[in-house]
Structure formats: C-alpha cells, structure tokens
Amino acid sequence: MEQRRRRATRGRVAALATVGLMLAAGFVTGAAPVQAADTNLIVNGGFEDGLASWFVNNGNSSDGAQLSATSDAYSGANAALVTSRTTTGSGPMQDLSGKVQAGQAYTLTARIKYENASGPATKQFFATMHYGGGTYTNLLSVTATKGQWAQFNGTFTIPAGQAVSTARLFFETPWTATPSTDPDLHLMDFKLDDVSVVGAAPPAPASKTIEVVGKLPGEHNPLIGHKFGADGFGFVHDGRVYMYMTNDTQGYAPNPTTGVSPGINYGDINQITVISSADLVNWTDHGEIQVAGPNGVAPFTANSWAPGITKKVVNGQEKFFLYYANGGGSSNVITGASPLGPWTSERTSTLINGSTPGAETVAWKFDPAPFVDDDGQPYLYFGGGPASTSMPPAERFNNPKNIRAIELDDTMVATQGTAAVVDAPVAFEAGHVFKREGRYYFSYSSHFGGNDFGGSQQPLPGYPGGGQIGYLISDNPMSWPKETYAGVLFPNQSQFFGAGTGGNNHQSVFEFEGKYYFTYHAPTLNKRINGNTTQGYRSPHIQELAFNPDGTIQQVVGTYAGVNQVRDFDPYRVFEAETFGWSKGVATTKVDGSSAQFGGAAPNLVVRDIDNGDWTALSSVNFGDKGARSVTAKVRALSAGGQIQVRLDTATGPVVGTVAVDATVGQWAEVTAELDGVSGVHDVYFTYTGPAGVDLFEIDNWSFQAATLELPVTVTASARCVGGKVYVAVQARNDHDAPVGISLETPYGERSFAAVAPGANAYQSFNTRAVSVPAGSATVRVTGAVGGQDVTTVRTVHQPAGTCGG
Ligand SMILES: [Ca+2]
Ligand SMILES: [Ca+2]
Ligand SMILES: [Ca+2]
C-alpha cells in the first residue's frame, strides 16, 4: 500500500527531477537566489564527524542497509559508505524536520560515487525528501559514471502547501518494486560526501509561553500558571514543600495561529519538573531535571513519568532518591545530593522490570512511589494497567491485583524479597503510601473499565467509579488485602472543575507543619487556555486533608481556592525572581550558574518573555511596621526603555516604586528603586512596561531592603567642677513607646540601665578625678524592640571641655 502510494508520488515529481538534472549538468547558469539569512541545514555533511546525525532511511519496513565511514572521501578524511542495501530507497538519511519550510527554495549539493565492478557504466541517483507516511518527493538527480565522484547541484522549492512537520532527506537509486532481481543494477553500494542544503534559516521554535492568567489572583490552585505539571508528588524537606511532576509542558506545542496544541503525547516526556514553596502559595520554579533520553541522568531509560521521592541517610550521608516510570514497562531511580540535585544514576539498568520477583504479571510496571517507615525500612509501591485475562471478568474489574509493594534494600536503589499484591478495588495506577498515627494509608487511582478490565462490569457496592482516588488502611506496609479498603477519598476532578477536566489522576499526601495535604492534578490551566476543549495538559493542585476520629479520611473537595498560605513571604533577602504566586505572560528558562537563594548545587532560572503589560506577583508579603526602603532586581536588559512598577495588592494597585531597567543591553546588572509608603502585609505586583513588541528584559532575582529601624532617644553631655574635680554628666531620654536598655559610655567610666521607661532618663555623672579635661565624646547605646524586631541604636554625643578654677 505504501509502495503504491509512493509510486504515484514519483510520477508527479518527474518534472522537478528533470530540472534538477539540467542544473546538475550545468545547462542552467546563475546562482540560486541567496537570502540574507541563508544557512546550511545539514549537520556533518562532510562526514568528518563520522556518521553523526546520519542514519539509514527506514521509511518502509523493508528498507535497510549498512552505513559506515570510509576514508575514500571526495574531500576531507571521511565519506559515508552504504552497503547491503535491501531496497532502492536504502540510503543515508538526515532528519530536517523543523528546519525546512514550505514555500522556500533551497540549494542542494552533494558528491556521490559507485564503483561496483559488475555495476552498469552509468547510474542515476536521487536526493529525495520523505515527508512522512507515503509521501516522497525526488528533489534532485544526477547521473554518475562508475568510479567517479558525481555532483548533485541544484535548487528545489518545497510547495507552499506541503506539510513539513516530517522532512527527512535521503539519497537513493531509482525506485523499482523488486530490486533483488538485479542487485548489480539497483542495489549497488555507493559513497556520499559534502552534502549541503542551503536556504532560509530554520524557523524559531513556536512560543510555548502561556499568555493567559492561568492562576487567578487570590486563588491558590493550580499551583503555577506559567507551565504545566502532572502526577505531582509532595515532599517536605528543611521547611519547604517540593513538588516533583511529569513535565507535561515538554511536548506542548501551541499552534502560532490558533494557540491550540496537539493533544499530549506522553512519549515526548523525559524530564521531571520541580517547584518548591515555604508557604504553599508562592512557588519557586526550579526547572526540569533531564532524567531520561540520550542526554539524561539515566540514559538507559526513555521516559520519566509520575515521579516519587524520598530521602535516607546512606553511609552517613543524606541522599535523595527520585523514582520514576520509564514509560509503562519499567521503573527506575536516580540519586540527588539535595532535593534540587545534582543528580546521578547509581544504576545501569532499570530498577523495576519483568524480572522483579512477584511483579511478572503486572502489565504496567510503572508509577513507583517510595515510603520510608519510622524504623528506616524503605518500601516501593508500583504497578497498574490491565489485569490478567485468566481472571473472571467481575474479579478482573473489581480486584485486578495489578499493584505491588516491595521492600527496598539499604542502598535505596535495589529491591529485596518478593513483591506483594496490593488488592486495591478497581485499581488502575498511582499507588502511594503515607503513615499517620501508626497506621499505613495506601491511595491509588481507579480504572475506567472497558475490555481491559473484563468488559461491561459494575463495581461492587462502595467500590470506586472511573478515575477516582480510593484508599486502604493497614497495620502492615506489605499487607493490603481487599478488606483494608476504606473508600473514595477524592472523586474524579471533573466533578469540581467541569467540562474538559476529566481523565486520569495521580495523587500524593504529605504532612507539613502539623497539617496533612493532598496533591492531585487537573487540566485547569489547559482549560483556561482553550476552554472546555482541552488537550490533556495537566496542572498541579493541593487541598488540605482532614481525618475523622476513627482515622478515615474526609472526602476531599477540589477547589480553585486551594489551601491557606502557611506564612507570610519574607522580602528582606535575595530571592529568586522565578518565585511567584501569580503571573501573566511570562516564561522561565534555566541559565548557567547557581541559585543566589538556594546555593551552589541548585539550578538557577530567570523570568523571560517579559513584554509590555506582563507581570508577576507575590502573595502576602510582610514588610513589617517600618517597611521597605528600596527594592533591587538583578536584570538583563534586552531593549532600552524598560521599567518595573512595584504595586501593592493588585496589578493596577498604587505604584510605590519604579525601577528603571537602564543597564547596558545584554548584560546582567543590579538596578534599584526607592520605595515610598510600603509597610505591613501586601500582595506585591511587579508590572512590566516598555516598548511594545519586543522582549524587555530578563529577571534573575529580587531583594527588598528594610527601612533602617531606630530607637528614638534624646542625648546630652556636660562637664562641671565639683569639689575641685571635673565631673562629666551624660543623660539619655527614652523617646520610644516601650522600655529600652541604655548604656552610657565615657573615657571616665560606664553605666548601664536595664529598663528605662518611656519618657524616663538614664543619667550618670562620672568623676574624672582631674582638675581639667579636654573636649571629647560620649557614646549612648540603646537596645529595644521595634515591631517585634530587636534593634540597637548607637548615638555619639559631644562632651565639652571642663576645668576647675583658673
Ligand atoms: Ca568528507
Ligand atoms: Ca510575554
Ligand atoms: Ca533566578
């Protein structure tokens, strides 16, 4: 079928191939149209880096060949040699997807040679583009003489209507259905060198920036509005909550015209997104961990879904273990020196797979969730997917026995013993365990029925419906019979967020400062972008989790309001600009160097794509009674004339300061503005203005500077003669509204007063034991509290000269 379509395509492009022939033969003079930004789109066209970026065309399953480097080069040290060709299309290929554009003209050059002794005296070769499916177009042709390098040299224009999302260039001999009947004529070896395709530079990748306000001011769900994140796993360490998430933004590709992305493709995802917060409303974006894929921490894995993390002291060192699903087939773990890395792989193969004892019949060996018990014993919960077909349909539906519990050994990167069945009713995926008051809670997501689960079946009374979060309570982390089932703790998210928000879910539970919290996902940001027609891009949410006196869980209600802010935000320090409660129109990107706030091991991001009218905001910032004197931003100007307005409470609230981003364009610099009238607790909006249509600047971090706190005091000093000796007297009146400590210090002695009442004086007359003293100074040190903050004010007072007699 594909071959037939392919043959038809050949016919339509015969004329173009002829033009190519004429160009190659030199009948047409004059250079191809040259554009200012012309670029060679081919990587390693001279094969001087061996076969890097080249592979054998595999557009049809019958295509196949051996590709190797040869020193018989047209130029340089290397060329490519293709042998053992199984079809006429079996030849060297390079992927130009995303580089070539419809309607553009390109100049193609290449050198080709064949020399098989039994081959024909001359042979035609094609340069061909595979546009995906059965669509092939011959671009250029050349007829080579045996044993001599021939040259492709001509232009081709990609038709304006051609879809180019797949565009793979390869070299071949003219098509015939059964080349094996005359391999000397059709399947000869050939060599290739000096390939170039020159034309318009590749288009910039379409913007992924989310332009809508995805998290509405005042609301706390979804946690972030500038990117997606699914399967969130909440983890508490050192006073912060970290959320590790499947990077749903990785394959998000909104059409530049319609703004609508194709539906999510989990196969695109090999990164884990990390955010953290100390207050559960203002979240810091720590970017993505490149977990899997050729450049990943664990390159022997291809995907990184549904992370779970825990920490343990191993060989005296606290380490962080991040587990993830390598697609549906296996699970793995990487090791962090901190919750933010750096990350390494202690394994060279997956942790959970078909040879894990007790997991052989688990269809999907994914969704690994770690749990370390109070006694230090670690466990891993994993698994899901269709149940064994050997089960009766009703059992297959209600008790699929598709999830497992297994012990980890002390290394945390290997299992020990045999996995035990978790008999969670209607189970599908997303197992997770936490412990409360000596009992273990296993939660999970239920399946959606259908043929994989026994066809048309009904859940047993009390069992979950599709896509709900159920839970079990057990006294033993390895024992989960169906009798431990305790109910549904969260219905499907579409019950709360409406049309377009259904689908799968994945939960976790964490305890933070005495309260329990429940994490789940919902495509609410996707819904704010596209309305009720969502494409499956999920966002993290958190709700508080409450328990009944008997330890059962009160069913969670999903809301946009989310959870209360745990504490006010402290502005008097350097904090990352990629921290915000709400935002509009911005994106973030990782930059070289470490985080000013989180230290050398932590990645650093900057806020980018800042246009006129964009903003970021912080929730409940506490400036204290005395307030802030100034704000400083580390910025990189990208155009002249950018400004940052600091506003209170809303994006259109009063401007309390304006930062002129007047640093040299392209260089990082600190810019500061004085602030006026900023005290107490406020939401803070940084609103960005400047020339329209250009990126204004990037921001790395912020800091606010507190107004200097002083204790008010009135000080005097005098000298007089008493009984033939000079006495120096120092007095300090407490003008503060609360008692203060005062010390009076002179060269002739010191005296301290512990608690001087408001309006009262500290006074001491020091005997100098001299008949005459020169002028000098006395020091008055006042200690007290202003707005709950300890303050010391030091004043120096002039002490006049004094003399007796004379
Ligand atoms: Ca070469
Ligand atoms: Ca923007
Ligand atoms: Ca930063």
mmCIF file of all heavy atoms in Angstrom, residues 322-339:
data_model
loop_
_atom_site.group_PDB
_atom_site.id
_atom_site.type_symbol
_atom_site.label_atom_id
_atom_site.label_comp_id
_atom_site.label_asym_id
_atom_site.label_seq_id
_atom_site.Cartn_x
_atom_site.Cartn_y
_atom_site.Cartn_z
ATOM 1 N N LEU A 322 14.956 9.695 43.695
ATOM 2 C CA LEU A 322 13.845 10.102 42.837
ATOM 3 C C LEU A 322 13.489 8.932 41.903
ATOM 4 O O LEU A 322 14.256 8.582 41.006
ATOM 5 C CB LEU A 322 14.241 11.349 42.038
ATOM 6 C CG LEU A 322 13.200 11.960 41.109
ATOM 7 C CD1 LEU A 322 11.935 12.352 41.860
ATOM 8 C CD2 LEU A 322 13.780 13.184 40.393
ATOM 9 N N TYR A 323 12.335 8.355 42.158
ATOM 10 C CA TYR A 323 11.841 7.208 41.387
ATOM 11 C C TYR A 323 10.920 7.720 40.285
ATOM 12 O O TYR A 323 10.256 8.753 40.445
ATOM 13 C CB TYR A 323 11.104 6.232 42.305
ATOM 14 C CG TYR A 323 11.977 5.743 43.449
ATOM 15 C CD1 TYR A 323 12.140 6.511 44.599
ATOM 16 C CD2 TYR A 323 12.663 4.532 43.354
ATOM 17 C CE1 TYR A 323 12.962 6.087 45.639
ATOM 18 C CE2 TYR A 323 13.480 4.096 44.385
ATOM 19 C CZ TYR A 323 13.632 4.882 45.524
ATOM 20 O OH TYR A 323 14.456 4.462 46.540
ATOM 21 N N TYR A 324 10.855 7.010 39.172
ATOM 22 C CA TYR A 324 10.002 7.453 38.067
ATOM 23 C C TYR A 324 9.677 6.277 37.168
ATOM 24 O O TYR A 324 10.370 5.250 37.176
ATOM 25 C CB TYR A 324 10.696 8.573 37.264
ATOM 26 C CG TYR A 324 11.983 8.140 36.612
ATOM 27 C CD1 TYR A 324 12.002 7.706 35.288
ATOM 28 C CD2 TYR A 324 13.181 8.143 37.325
ATOM 29 C CE1 TYR A 324 13.185 7.289 34.698
ATOM 30 C CE2 TYR A 324 14.362 7.722 36.738
ATOM 31 C CZ TYR A 324 14.359 7.299 35.427
ATOM 32 O OH TYR A 324 15.530 6.879 34.842
ATOM 33 N N ALA A 325 8.623 6.448 36.385
ATOM 34 C CA ALA A 325 8.200 5.425 35.442
ATOM 35 C C ALA A 325 8.917 5.626 34.113
ATOM 36 O O ALA A 325 8.874 6.714 33.534
ATOM 37 C CB ALA A 325 6.692 5.496 35.234
ATOM 38 N N ASN A 326 9.592 4.591 33.648
ATOM 39 C CA ASN A 326 10.207 4.601 32.318
ATOM 40 C C ASN A 326 9.155 4.108 31.334
ATOM 41 O O ASN A 326 9.161 2.953 30.920
ATOM 42 C CB ASN A 326 11.447 3.713 32.316
ATOM 43 C CG ASN A 326 12.079 3.617 30.939
ATOM 44 O OD1 ASN A 326 12.044 4.580 30.177
ATOM 45 N ND2 ASN A 326 12.642 2.463 30.619
ATOM 46 N N GLY A 327 8.200 5.002 30.996
ATOM 47 C CA GLY A 327 7.046 4.552 30.238
ATOM 48 C C GLY A 327 6.242 3.578 31.080
ATOM 49 O O GLY A 327 6.255 3.623 32.318
ATOM 50 N N GLY A 328 5.519 2.667 30.416
ATOM 51 C CA GLY A 328 4.707 1.715 31.161
ATOM 52 C C GLY A 328 5.454 0.436 31.519
ATOM 53 O O GLY A 328 4.995 -0.337 32.348
ATOM 54 N N GLY A 329 6.627 0.228 30.928
ATOM 55 C CA GLY A 329 7.254 -1.070 31.022
ATOM 56 C C GLY A 329 8.153 -1.294 32.218
ATOM 57 O O GLY A 329 8.394 -2.441 32.607
ATOM 58 N N SER A 330 8.678 -0.219 32.799
ATOM 59 C CA SER A 330 9.620 -0.396 33.900
ATOM 60 C C SER A 330 9.685 0.899 34.710
ATOM 61 O O SER A 330 9.131 1.923 34.326
ATOM 62 C CB SER A 330 11.020 -0.759 33.370
ATOM 63 O OG SER A 330 11.506 0.256 32.518
ATOM 64 N N SER A 331 10.368 0.803 35.861
ATOM 65 C CA SER A 331 10.573 1.968 36.718
ATOM 66 C C SER A 331 12.032 2.039 37.107
ATOM 67 O O SER A 331 12.743 1.032 37.095
ATOM 68 C CB SER A 331 9.703 1.875 37.978
ATOM 69 O OG SER A 331 8.339 1.993 37.649
ATOM 70 N N ASN A 332 12.459 3.249 37.478
ATOM 71 C CA ASN A 332 13.874 3.446 37.770
ATOM 72 C C ASN A 332 14.044 4.489 38.864
ATOM 73 O O ASN A 332 13.054 5.076 39.350
ATOM 74 C CB ASN A 332 14.610 3.861 36.490
ATOM 75 C CG ASN A 332 16.109 3.740 36.641
ATOM 76 O OD1 ASN A 332 16.612 2.738 37.142
ATOM 77 N ND2 ASN A 332 16.820 4.775 36.256
ATOM 78 N N VAL A 333 15.278 4.716 39.283
ATOM 79 C CA VAL A 333 15.585 5.678 40.339
ATOM 80 C C VAL A 333 16.887 6.387 40.014
ATOM 81 O O VAL A 333 17.814 5.787 39.467
ATOM 82 C CB VAL A 333 15.684 4.970 41.715
ATOM 83 C CG1 VAL A 333 16.761 3.890 41.711
ATOM 84 C CG2 VAL A 333 15.926 5.970 42.845
ATOM 85 N N ILE A 334 16.933 7.703 40.319
ATOM 86 C CA ILE A 334 18.186 8.453 40.282
ATOM 87 C C ILE A 334 18.405 9.050 41.666
ATOM 88 O O ILE A 334 17.473 9.148 42.470
ATOM 89 C CB ILE A 334 18.200 9.544 39.181
ATOM 90 C CG1 ILE A 334 17.065 10.546 39.379
ATOM 91 C CG2 ILE A 334 18.150 8.907 37.805
ATOM 92 C CD1 ILE A 334 17.125 11.738 38.424
ATOM 93 N N THR A 335 19.661 9.450 41.941
ATOM 94 C CA THR A 335 20.051 9.870 43.282
ATOM 95 C C THR A 335 20.455 11.332 43.269
ATOM 96 O O THR A 335 21.217 11.774 42.401
ATOM 97 C CB THR A 335 21.236 9.014 43.777
ATOM 98 O OG1 THR A 335 20.884 7.640 43.666
ATOM 99 C CG2 THR A 335 21.573 9.342 45.229
ATOM 100 N N GLY A 336 19.961 12.088 44.261
ATOM 101 C CA GLY A 336 20.287 13.501 44.375
ATOM 102 C C GLY A 336 21.086 13.788 45.641
ATOM 103 O O GLY A 336 20.852 13.173 46.681
ATOM 104 N N ALA A 337 22.016 14.747 45.541
ATOM 105 C CA ALA A 337 22.752 15.190 46.727
ATOM 106 C C ALA A 337 21.916 16.158 47.556
ATOM 107 O O ALA A 337 22.231 16.431 48.709
ATOM 108 C CB ALA A 337 24.063 15.849 46.301
ATOM 109 N N SER A 338 20.867 16.691 46.953
ATOM 110 C CA SER A 338 19.925 17.575 47.641
ATOM 111 C C SER A 338 18.592 17.392 46.920
ATOM 112 O O SER A 338 18.532 16.726 45.881
ATOM 113 C CB SER A 338 20.392 19.034 47.552
ATOM 114 O OG SER A 338 20.010 19.608 46.318
ATOM 115 N N PRO A 339 17.512 17.992 47.429
ATOM 116 C CA PRO A 339 16.246 17.873 46.687
ATOM 117 C C PRO A 339 16.316 18.505 45.302
ATOM 118 O O PRO A 339 15.471 18.231 44.450
ATOM 119 C CB PRO A 339 15.242 18.620 47.572
ATOM 120 C CG PRO A 339 15.863 18.652 48.925
ATOM 121 C CD PRO A 339 17.339 18.693 48.708
#
